[in-house]
Amino acid sequence: MSLSVPYPRFTLADRLTPEQLAFFHEHGFLHFRGFATADTVAALLRASEQVQQRWLADEVKKVNGVPIKYGRDVDGTPIVQRFAFASHHNPVLHEFLQDPRFTALFSLLETDGGRVGENEKDGLVINHYVNVDGSEFSQMGWHTDSLRDVFYGKKIGPMLNVGVHLDGTPATNGGLRVLAGTHRQNLRDILFRKKYYKDVGPDENEVVIETEPGDLTVHDGRMWHRVARSPLVGEASRRRVMYVPILAGKYEPKHDNSPTPFYLRFLHLVK
């Protein structure tokens, strides 16, 4: 699929349609319009700000072994730019993850035991991108989400990365790009197709995911993707996205004494 070919936007109900299943199997991603209402988006943003205020006041460095990424907002004030396990710290975020429509995505795993990974991996992550001096998070280079399994010598398990977009992101404001079909690549390409996080530039085959507030996207964990830096500066560059994994296999919850995963020790390099 090339940029010149528009991809379909769907609506998520209590089960996926044959068309949605076929599209995902071929391309490795789906885009659903209007998953969250405007009121829900506003409530989620308020909830994230409440967590941010508490973590800033308490100088939280890690949650369940996962480093928290701080930076500066457009006015120079400190903000959290990458949250982890955010739903453990606010009831609104936790309740949002109980939405039964998430279970409709389990069929994409093509195995039994699908679940929302609220307590696993990094839990509910909130990424807050802003392009200003002092920001520590304005883009994320090419990567797959399956690398963590490889780091620990595990067989790559079934995993989906589900994003709920809290700001609209047209192509002119950076945002998510995916290499459609790379969820079917071999292990060599998962490891070496690109330099993880160091390669940040465009790919001639990338698909630009243009979102509106409340949209939901889902992509296979084996797929190469990146988050492009906004060419805009200041308030116009702001993009906030919540991500939660959907996975199957052995249940591996994190806890207060969980060690920092090896791959996250380099999070400070992602800017």
Side-chain angles (χ1 to χ4, degrees):
M1 177 181 292
S2 68
L3 283 176
S4 61
V5 181
Y7 66 87
R9 277 71 162 175
F10 300 106
T11 300
L12 185 59
D14 60 352
R15 66 175 57 190
L16 298 181
T17 67
E19 179 187 7
Q20 292 164 357
L21 288 167
F23 185 90
F24 183 85
H25 292 156
E26 180 176 358
H27 300 294
F29 75 97
L30 288 168
H31 183 171
F32 299 96
R33 288 291 194 207
F35 179 82
T37 66
D39 286 346
T40 297
V41 168
L44 294 171
L45 287 171
R46 286 195 298 270
S48 69
E49 290 166 0
Q50 290 167 4
V51 177
Q52 173 176 272
Q53 291 171 3
R54 193 177 316 124
W55 288 2
L56 285 168
D58 295 342
E59 299 183 343
V60 175
K61 299 295 189 296
K62 295 181 181 180
V63 177
N64 294 345
V66 178
I68 304 306
K69 195 172 185 69
Y70 291 90
R72 296 284 173 177
D73 208 343
V74 295
D75 60 357
T77 58
I79 56 172
V80 178
Q81 294 204 260
R82 188 181 190 272
F83 301 71
F85 295 100
S87 66
H88 290 195
H89 297 264
N90 189 281
V92 172
L93 300 175
H94 170 73
E95 287 301 320
F96 179 73
L97 296 183
Q98 313 314 307
D99 190 310
R101 289 176 294 173
F102 284 114
T103 64
L105 302 174
F106 294 175
S107 61
L108 298 175
L109 296 170
E110 297 185 325
T111 189
D112 295 331
R115 60 187 180 273
V116 176
E118 184 177 11
N119 305 317
E120 300 172 84
K121 306 291 186 182
D122 299 347
L124 179 66
V125 170
I126 305 176
N127 290 335
H128 187 169
Y129 300 96
V130 62
N131 190 18
V132 293
D133 290 339
S135 171
E136 292 292 318
F137 213 23
S138 61
Q139 67 180 332
M140 185 176 289
W142 287 106
H143 65 285
T144 75
D145 299 317
S146 296
L147 184 65
R148 64 187 72 194
D149 286 344
V150 177
F151 259 128
Y152 291 104
K154 299 178 182 179
K155 180 181 178 181
I156 293 175
M159 177 194 164
L160 310 170
N161 207 353
V162 179
V164 178
H165 300 259
L166 305 178
D167 294 292
T169 306
T172 53
N173 197 19
L176 180 62
R177 276 82 165 116
V178 302
L179 289 183
T182 55
H183 64 302
R184 293 180 276 121
Q185 66 195 330
N186 57 35
L187 180 59
R188 177 181 176 82
D189 285 341
I190 288 177
L191 293 175
F192 302 115
R193 187 182 188 113
K194 292 182 179 293
K195 295 178 182 178
Y196 272 79
Y197 300 111
K198 290 186 177 180
D199 287 345
V200 298
D203 186 294
E204 63 180 1
N205 295 313
E206 71 183 21
V207 178
V208 177
I209 308 298
E210 295 189 280
T211 60
E212 298 175 356
D215 282 5
L216 181 144
T217 58
V218 54
H219 65 260
D220 191 295
R222 297 165 292 183
M223 168 177 282
W224 281 97
H225 59 286
R226 72 181 178 109
V227 178
R229 185 195 305 272
S230 174
L232 308 176
V233 177
E235 185 63 37
S237 71
R238 191 184 307 280
R239 297 162 303 174
R240 291 160 291 188
V241 187
M242 304 195 318
Y243 281 103
V244 69
I246 285 179
L247 62 166
K250 183 180 178 182
Y251 180 56
E252 298 180 308
K254 297 286 186 65
H255 49 77
D256 288 344
N257 297 320
S258 291
T260 298
F262 177 77
Y263 61 90
L264 283 176
R265 296 177 185 177
F266 304 98
L267 184 62
H268 66 284
L269 300 177
V270 178
K271 296 185 179 183

